[in-house]
Amino acid sequence: MNDVPLQWEARQHAMDFLHLEADLLDRRRLPEWLELLHADLDYRIPVRTTRERSATTTFSAAAFHMIEDRSTCQARVDRFASEFAWAEDPPSRTRRFVSNVQALYADDARDTIDVRSNLLVFRARGEDAAIHLSGERQDVLSRGPQGWQLRSRTVLLDHTSLPTLNLAIFL
Amino acid sequence: MSTPISPRALELLEDMRDNFEQGLVPLSVYNDPELSEVELDRVFNRNWVFLAHESEIPEPGDYVLRTIGEDPWIVVRDESGTIRVLLDSCRHRGAQVCRADKGNASHFRCPYHGWTYKNSGDLAGVPHRVESYRELDLKQWGLVRAPHVDTHRGLVFACLAADAPELSDYLGGIAWYLDVHLALTEFEVLGDPHRWVVGANWKIGAENFAGDSYHTESVHRSVVEVSLFPSILLKHGVAAQGKRHISGLGGHAANLNHDVGAPEEAQFWGYPSEVTEQFDAEGMDPDQYELAKWSKLSTGTVFPNLSYLCSAFVDAPGRPAGTVLMLRQWQPRGPAAMELWSWILVPKGASDEYKERVARVATASFSPSGNFEEDDTAIWSTIARTAGSRYARSRNLKLNYQMGMPGMAEIERDENWRGPGVALMSDLEDGGQRTVQRRWIEEMLRP
């Protein structure tokens, strides 16, 4: 049980990071959110399908709702800054609920944390009926000179057909 | 397959038909519950409807679950290699026999009472048959098969009308434009299709890809601003020499952007040399190959609800481009919603590295998160709201589809055009959209 305090510490770092991140995204402080992204970020939201129970996976190996790196996230944020990015003008109101956080240091230097958490995103846009996106995040956080950064993220959505007119938000 | 239609719906359709040649279209056709019901019968249940790409079901037993209109159909390759399209409904009590979006199965077994069907649709087993169903004729009680199933260059279609035309006759001239892409080499679907639900009528999508070039400067300006797309491809008008809008294809339409004249290098929509080296002109006529060679962007719609798009994109400024060939289907989900299905096609012989690049640029451009697509759907969903308004319905408010019509502009027909249909030398006109609408009215008014 010696590693219980370490697990606790890792989870505390992870929760601090995820809560800060959710706050920045919900407040659309996207340039600040970009600073939380590692230079070698690998960010994926694979397409999900309904499969029989014996199937080894329900996620597509080649099709993604988002497949991003640091530069493509930057491009998306730059586009949202344009006055012609109608997808988020007016911006949607979002609220990210992050829970069930499990975290473990992945190396002895305690510079990398493997994190699993649940994500529920509430999104309302104009007067459209609000939608929810639900899924699991599998993250790797990495500690550098600027503190913790997101090194990789896989979002495993619970939806096969997304109930949203677009994915103009980051998950 | 005659379906009842209310006097009000009939009046609306006849009014649309009578004013159509003036380029006037009732706004309420984009959100009308009665018309939406009629569409399922008169448009989706009797035209050839796209279901899948053959590469999704390469092996015997491979299946995917798809929809015609809103109905579930299993598209399966049976043990003999024949593609079957089977209504996903047990003949005994009607329960769905397929519980997954895709998979491989020799049989489909109904969970309710255990009736079991071969993947050809034939009924193979009925529990307690000897005791209780001795006289049951298995041949009479197979899964219902779509009466007509056919493929064109890997695209699987079905038609539920008893008196269906041949698929090749149905496609007519649009097949020539599809083949400019599909006959160059063998394509396969990259992964699984994207699926998402948008609060807009399905016809808006079909019309947009049929020839709404006009919207790109306004809707998609942001992607040019951040250098995700060359601005030249969004410029319109007389200066844009290589723009062609093709109509006169019987409900189908195409929109082309190519280099007319003497460009220095072949375009092929920006496919890299590792891909174009594998292109084979043998499968197409020389005019098609010439068009492919100088093409930069193509879109089109196959009536009723299949569209395609081909162009090169990047996912971040300065990156190498990837060429996206996308198949897009607009599935009706009631009068004010559609489910978008989107397939990315890649040349089967391309490298894994190139396929990954295509996955990235396709996702970043045309997908639920696409930098292009996000803005389209945000706007389309507002049309459903106004189209459903009492005011639009009670006053029969008309939309203006007169762009480029005689009197509005003098648009020349390209007399030297080598492909089928009427080629107009401008992309600032609504002919392709009216082509889709004209066919829709005909189908809706045909008992």
Side-chain angles (χ1 to χ4, degrees):
Chain A
M1 301 299 285
N2 278 347
D3 56 350
V4 167
L6 285 185
Q7 276 187 31
W8 183 88
E9 189 184 77
R11 186 167 70 236
Q12 199 59 45
H13 283 307
M15 285 181 10
D16 286 349
F17 180 90
L18 294 174
H19 291 166
L20 169 65
E21 184 200 18
D23 189 62
L24 292 176
L25 288 172
D26 286 342
R27 294 177 197 282
R28 293 193 64 75
R29 287 160 62 173
L30 297 177
E32 290 166 76
W33 175 74
L34 286 173
E35 292 172 16
L36 297 182
L37 306 182
H38 193 277
D40 298 323
L41 172 73
D42 181 28
Y43 176 120
R44 295 163 189 249
I45 308 174
V47 168
R48 187 168 204 158
T49 53
T50 299
R51 301 296 304 275
E52 70 282 10
R53 192 165 57 191
S54 60
T56 51
T57 179
T58 63
F59 292 98
S60 181
F64 301 90
H65 291 303
M66 290 180 84
I67 176 166
E68 306 298 308
D69 54 39
R70 181 69 170 67
S71 299
T72 62
C73 288
Q74 178 79 54
R76 288 176 182 276
V77 170
D78 290 347
R79 194 183 81 79
F80 288 133
S82 158
E83 62 180 299
F84 304 100
W86 315 110
E88 278 292 282
D89 188 9
S92 46
R93 276 95 49 189
T94 62
R95 202 161 297 278
R96 288 165 178 76
F97 297 86
V98 181
S99 73
N100 303 55
V101 177
Q102 300 179 60
L104 277 179
Y105 286 119
D107 61 11
D108 292 338
R110 290 191 259 163
D111 285 338
T112 304
I113 308 176
D114 290 336
V115 192
R116 274 196 300 163
S117 62
N118 288 349
L119 176 70
L120 182 68
V121 183
F122 171 94
R123 183 186 190 197
R125 194 179 173 285
E127 294 178 10
D128 291 350
I131 62 107
H132 294 87
L133 292 168
S134 162
E136 173 184 330
R137 279 172 168 170
Q138 297 177 349
D139 296 338
V140 175
L141 305 182
S142 163
R143 181 152 51 188
Q146 294 96 41
W148 292 100
Q149 287 189 311
L150 185 66
R151 174 70 179 74
S152 77
R153 167 167 291 167
T154 303
V155 183
L156 301 174
L157 285 173
D158 297 318
H159 313 266
T160 54
S161 184
L162 304 187
T164 177
L165 84 173
N166 60 32
L167 207 51
I169 57 172
F170 294 98
L171 297 183
Chain B
M1 227 191 268
S2 178
T3 32
I5 181 167
S6 72
R8 190 197 66 82
L10 185 62
E11 191 184 342
L12 177 63
L13 289 166
E14 286 175 342
D15 176 79
M16 178 170 169
R17 178 194 61 198
D18 294 343
N19 289 284
F20 186 69
E21 296 311 320
Q22 283 78 54
L24 300 175
V25 173
L27 170 57
S28 55
V29 302
Y30 298 104
N31 185 353
D32 186 287
E34 287 181 41
L35 292 184
S36 178
E37 287 292 310
V38 176
E39 277 176 344
L40 293 177
D41 290 312
R42 295 191 172 182
V43 174
F44 289 95
N45 261 10
R46 65 184 187 188
N47 280 280
W48 282 93
V49 174
F50 174 75
L51 287 166
H53 189 268
E54 274 197 79
S55 66
E56 295 181 277
I57 48 169
E59 302 297 328
D62 285 349
Y63 69 86
V64 289
L65 188 60
R66 296 288 148 88
T67 57
I68 297 177
E70 300 189 29
D71 302 341
W73 292 83
I74 306 167
V75 184
V76 57
R77 192 178 290 276
D78 73 14
E79 298 306 312
S80 71
T82 303
I83 296 174
R84 305 286 188 179
V85 176
L86 310 169
L87 185 64
D88 183 17
S89 174
C90 180
R91 297 297 305 284
H92 177 235
R93 288 294 183 275
Q96 284 188 261
V97 299
C98 182
R99 284 178 298 283
D101 293 336
K102 64 172 187 176
N104 183 283
S106 62
H107 293 77
F108 296 101
R109 184 171 187 271
C110 179
Y112 200 1
H113 302 90
W115 284 31
T116 302
Y117 304 86
K118 294 180 189 171
N119 57 20
S120 61
D122 294 334
L123 181 58
V126 173
H128 301 290
R129 186 175 159 218
V130 175
E131 298 156 77
S132 312
Y133 257 131
R134 213 162 32 237
E135 296 295 316
L136 185 73
D137 180 3
L138 297 188
K139 288 189 181 62
Q140 298 289 316
W141 293 96
L143 291 176
V144 169
R145 284 181 186 156
H148 305 281
V149 178
D150 203 352
T151 63
H152 178 82
R153 299 258 181 213
L155 312 183
V156 181
F157 293 82
C159 182
L160 303 180
D163 56 346
E166 294 292 323
L167 177 62
S168 55
D169 292 338
Y170 179 86
L171 294 175
I174 196 69
W176 194 92
Y177 295 97
L178 284 168
D179 290 355
V180 168
H181 304 269
L182 298 175
L184 283 167
T185 185
E186 189 177 352
F187 286 88
E188 64 182 7
V189 171
L190 190 75
D192 296 276
H194 293 115
R195 294 169 56 189
W196 69 112
V197 176
V198 172
N201 187 270
W202 67 274
K203 296 190 289 294
I204 291 291
E207 285 178 23
N208 181 282
F209 276 61
D212 190 338
S213 309
Y214 189 34
H215 82 291
T216 54
E217 276 184 0
S218 173
V219 173
H220 300 304
R221 188 160 162 186
S222 67
V223 293
V224 174
E225 285 189 348
V226 294
S227 304
L228 294 175
F229 197 64
S231 62
I232 184 72
L233 290 178
L234 296 187
K235 292 234 169 67
H236 304 298
V238 181
Q241 290 295 325
K243 310 275 183 148
R244 294 289 182 278
H245 270 192
I246 315 292
S247 52
L249 300 173
H252 320 302
N255 161 38
L256 305 161
N257 186 337
H258 65 300
D259 269 322
V260 178
E264 298 299 314
E265 292 179 20
Q267 303 283 322
F268 284 118
W269 303 276
Y271 280 114
S273 57
E274 72 151 288
V275 170
T276 57
E277 281 164 8
Q278 298 174 19
F279 285 168
D280 181 3
E282 293 301 307
M284 52 174 57
D285 75 38
D287 294 327
Q288 285 174 299
Y289 190 76
E290 275 301 298
L291 180 58
K293 198 169 174 181
W294 307 120
S295 281
K296 297 190 289 191
L297 182 149
S298 313
T299 73
T301 290
V302 181
F303 188 85
N305 68 333
L306 174 67
S307 294
Y308 64 91
L309 174 147
C310 187
S311 188
F313 302 97
V314 296
D315 56 352
R319 291 276 177 85
T323 297
V324 177
L325 175 57
M326 179 182 72
L327 294 178
R328 168 60 54 82
Q329 198 171 23
W330 321 97
Q331 304 276 20
R333 296 292 178 260
M338 63 174 147
E339 184 171 347
L340 281 73
W341 285 65
S342 192
W343 294 256
I344 303 162
L345 294 184
V346 287
K348 193 173 181 180
S351 66
D352 289 344
E353 291 75 16
Y354 182 68
K355 288 175 183 176
E356 159 124 11
R357 193 194 307 167
V358 172
R360 286 177 180 272
V361 300
T363 304
S365 51
F366 281 87
S367 82
S369 74
N371 288 308
F372 277 77
E373 187 118 40
E374 287 176 355
D375 296 329
D376 284 308
T377 53
I379 292 161
W380 294 348
S381 63
T382 67
I383 298 172
R385 183 167 186 194
T386 65
S389 71
R390 293 285 148 181
Y391 188 87
R393 190 174 299 179
S394 63
R395 309 298 163 89
N396 195 2
L397 196 61
K398 300 289 202 300
L399 297 176
N400 188 308
Y401 279 83
Q402 298 173 325
M403 188 182 211
M405 284 174 67
M408 293 287 178
E410 314 309 321
I411 296 177
E412 282 183 64
R413 180 175 170 165
D414 186 346
E415 302 295 345
N416 298 317
W417 190 251
R418 310 295 285 270
V422 175
L424 295 180
M425 296 173 71
S426 171
D427 61 347
L428 290 177
E429 63 91 43
D430 291 331
Q433 295 170 83
R434 290 197 304 272
T435 295
V436 175
Q437 290 165 334
R438 185 180 291 110
R439 176 67 180 271
W440 181 81
I441 303 170
E442 286 170 8
E443 294 294 323
M444 292 291 279
L445 283 173
R446 185 157 64 89

